[in-house]
Amino acid sequence: MSDQTSPSDKLTPYERLRPLRRVRQSRDFRADPIGRDDLDAILGVARWTGSSRNTQPWRFIVISEVDTIRRIAAAGLPQTRALRTATAAIAITLPAIPERAISHAYDDGRVAERLLIAASYLGLGAGIAWVRVDVMDAVSAILGLPTERLVRTLVALGHPSSAAREPKSAPGEARLPLDELVFRERWLGD
Ligand SMILES: Cc1cc2nc3c(=O)[nH]c(=O)nc-3n(C[C@H](O)[C@H](O)[C@H](O)COP(=O)(O)O)c2cc1C
């Protein structure tokens, strides 16, 4: 048996999860495009995302044409502001079935977050851009979506600008402290 240990074995569980804690939204990107290999790898993560009853309700539209990305940005501001500088985007399209709306929204969120995590692992930036109900038709038209599908979430992708890499808040302050978020065994705990 080997007595070799990998560096991660020496890390605490908290330290090992640092890459996940570091996932943040980027909304401002440099002009240089991201590589096809990176995009394909990110889509591979999307593919393996779990969904309700494994229905995989999503179909993804990968957008690399900057003109299309900018038109969607303009249609949906301010929510779509990350698409003003993104060099790629993935539109998560879902069946437009009102009875499945909650389930599909849940799956939408699961895959969107994984896209953010995948981009972060590759040293890229990603940001969620939600499509408001009042601009859904305009965005659907740009993407050529049939009436039986909708898009609520686009994930903007690119190399984050130096401004986007700056911390948005003081160290430790971007999220509520754990003792305000987590109770033990029952509401409000002991
Ligand atoms: C369900 C959901 C919808 C979001 N919609 C948008 C959006 O439409 N536009 C946007 O710029 N950011 C959007 N965000 C990103 C949040 O604003 C962001 O996660 C929050 O500001 C925290 O930023 P950080 O993760 O970089 O710390 C969304 C996030 C979630 C989880």
Side-chain angles (χ1 to χ4, degrees), residues 5-13 15-16:
T5 53
S6 73
S8 68
D9 292 336
K10 297 193 173 67
L11 299 174
T12 65
E15 289 164 344
R16 287 166 64 187

Side-chain angles (χ1 to χ4, degrees), residues 32-150:
D32 48 319
I34 64 177
R36 174 71 192 259
D37 285 356
D38 282 346
L39 262 181
D40 288 347
I42 291 168
L43 290 164
V45 171
R47 177 188 173 215
W48 279 101
T49 302
S51 55
S52 171
R53 291 181 283 137
N54 198 25
T55 46
Q56 306 166 68
W58 37 62
R59 297 293 180 269
F60 305 104
I61 303 178
V62 187
I63 316 163
S64 300
E65 285 177 12
V66 167
D67 177 62
T68 308
I69 299 170
R70 301 294 177 267
R71 282 165 58 211
I72 297 170
L77 290 172
Q79 286 80 5
T80 50
R81 59 197 179 282
L83 297 169
R84 289 192 296 203
T85 52
T87 54
I90 298 174
I92 303 168
T93 81
L94 297 159
I97 305 172
E99 309 84 70
R100 303 283 297 151
I102 292 177
S103 167
H104 286 161
Y106 195 99
D107 292 340
D108 194 11
R110 288 188 74 185
V111 73
E113 185 67 17
R114 282 200 184 204
L115 291 171
L116 262 54
I117 294 166
S120 177
Y121 268 58
L122 295 177
L124 299 169
I128 289 174
W130 248 10
V131 178
R132 293 194 316 274
V133 171
D134 61 298
V135 298
M136 268 188 189
D137 286 350
V139 172
S140 293
I142 294 169
L143 293 173
L145 274 193
T147 50
E148 65 271 16
R149 294 199 83 83
L150 59 79

